[in-house]
Amino acid sequence: MEDNTGYSILRNPRLNKGSAFTLEEREKYGLQGLLPEAVETIETQIVRIHEQLDNFSKPINQYVYLMQLLENNETLFFKTISNDPVKFLPLVYTPTVGEACQKFGQVSRRPRGLYLSIKDKDNLKKILKNWPEKDVRFTVVTDGGRILGLGDLGIFGLGIPIGKLVLYTSCGGVPPEYTLPIVLDVGTNNEEFLNDPLYPGLKCKRIRGKEFDDFVAAFVSAINEVFPKICIQWEDFPGVDAIKILNSYREKVCTFNDDIQGTAAIAIAGFISISRSMKKRFIDQRFLFLGAGAAAFGIADMLVKKFQRDGLTEDEALRQIWMFDINGLLVNSRTDLAEHQLQFAHDLEPCTDFAEAILKIKPTAIVGVSTVGGAFNQQVIENMSAINERPIIFPYSNPTSHSECTAQQAYNWSKGKAVFASGSPFSPVEYEGKTFTPGQGNNVFIFPALGLAIFATEAKRVTDDILLTAAEAVAEQVCLTDFEKGLIYPNVADILRVSENVAVKVAEEIFNSGLASVERPESICDFIKSKMYVPEYK
């Protein structure tokens, strides 16, 4: 245990055990008198954390408490989260993390992560070397431009990378020392922040265009030079930038965008599960999206690949996918479509009423990625129920207030027929004496497992085939008894086991596609297990 002594150990979150230091350790490291007499187990410490946490009625205060625990005792924090993910994931990530970002200036206690300003574009390598760890494998990066459905939160968006990387460790077993949260500070269009003397970021309107692109290019170059085994996860960039950045770098470095590809993979996993539970071929599903931004195209592109993997041609696959944006259905006669929208436009009369579009297209599933709360109204759900025995209703927008409908509405308006999953968590719903358990299409089933596989194999790239393999592997974790309860995703309580199994399948795909930088082991399962972080006192 390094040659730290006394207070310095207690103030080092990676070394601190608090009341769990043994009497021998207390004597050896000069801790006598700095701790109460009792020597406690980590289990006793966790009981105390639960009791202390219950003193806070508001989730945001529980979030602050847990972040302070992370700064104080890393092992205890991760042991606590991974022991009860159902309770803690909503507190350290969605939905509480949205409010934490909005109030980041008030709730942030100690610096965590790196702030990279566009003004320092030519000095990024030197700044990255200020990070104390010399072998970083994962960075989650945002520019704070589109945090969840909350809009431009500037550098306060750093709360998202911090939360995401907590999940890499607690849900995927990626050792925390290999992770680094980063916010790119390119200004903000949030007028409240621009006029707030306490806002600590760049006080200017967002810098866009070539200057922004050059900054991102300088960042990608610098971080790959300083940390050669890095995987960059892009997070919560505005839609057009998100697509452009991903397309610019996906073939050059190890990178992916969770909003686009992670959301797509977990949605596909749900659709695969539903098809299995209905005993229906996947290729017989037809999809209508509400919203035509980055998330919609991520899901749609992966749907095309899944349809092709299951035997359809690209043209046949595209005909199964329809989109509806603020100006109505994407049809060929429209003149306002962006280039990446054209392949999902079809021959049909223009239509600006979503409920009416359902009757024209007859989709088996509607997918909400619009961030418009309540957009799946009663007429929409009733129309879906009129044309489908089991209508698939997927309001995917986050946070809960932006969900296109609630679970209660979906089950009530469909008279209990709906197969429901959402991006945000909803409680079980009782309808006519039957209890329905809403599915949550939570990316937490994808990116931590993906991260573990990339960490273990030192993958050079993240391909669509790798993400589709992750989606299929998640769907495989759902069994018949889950379907009987109405579940289409695995139970969050089993997240570590699920992540391990998904990581094995993903690692296999990485080895098979020649993208690994390490030798293929005899047993990929044992190999993955050996790489997983276990939060135990050493």
Side-chain angles (χ1 to χ4, degrees), residues 456-458 507 511 515-524 527 531:
T457 61
E458 297 178 17
F511 283 118
L515 290 169
S517 299
V518 300
E519 289 283 306
R520 187 182 187 120
E522 251 178 68
S523 165
I524 293 177
F527 174 64
K531 294 288 181 180

Side-chain angles (χ1 to χ4, degrees), residues 128-246:
L128 287 164
K129 286 174 183 173
N130 288 341
W131 188 249
E133 299 292 342
K134 300 309 167 202
D135 181 16
V136 176
R137 303 294 186 84
F138 283 96
T139 181
V140 176
V141 186
T142 189
D143 71 347
R146 190 199 58 83
I147 297 298
L148 302 173
L150 303 170
D152 186 339
L153 297 184
I155 63 165
F156 290 165
L158 183 62
I160 297 289
I162 290 171
K164 272 269 155 86
L165 289 168
V166 161
L167 302 189
Y168 267 93
T169 299
S170 53
C171 303
V174 175
E177 62 268 28
Y178 291 104
T179 65
L180 169 57
I182 291 179
V183 63
L184 303 180
D185 190 356
V186 294
T188 177
N189 293 340
N190 188 316
E191 289 295 335
E192 194 185 323
F193 291 171
L194 290 172
N195 296 317
D196 182 356
L198 292 179
Y199 177 68
L202 270 182
K203 289 277 183 63
C204 65
K205 289 280 188 184
R206 281 190 171 270
I207 295 163
R208 316 304 309 144
K210 185 175 185 306
E211 206 179 331
F212 174 81
D213 296 342
D214 290 349
F215 178 46
V216 171
F219 165 71
V220 172
S221 171
I223 200 162
N224 274 279
E225 200 170 319
V226 176
F227 305 116
K229 295 178 181 178
I230 195 82
C231 178
I232 305 170
Q233 178 186 320
W234 306 97
E235 190 74 29
D236 287 353
F237 283 74
V240 176
D241 289 328
I243 293 169
K244 185 166 67 173
I245 290 169
L246 180 62

Side-chain angles (χ1 to χ4, degrees), residues 310-328:
D310 285 8
L312 295 190
T313 65
E314 186 177 11
D315 283 346
E316 287 169 339
L318 288 167
R319 284 201 290 274
Q320 299 294 89
I321 300 163
W322 292 72
M323 289 195 183
F324 190 103
D325 70 3
I326 196 163
N327 295 318

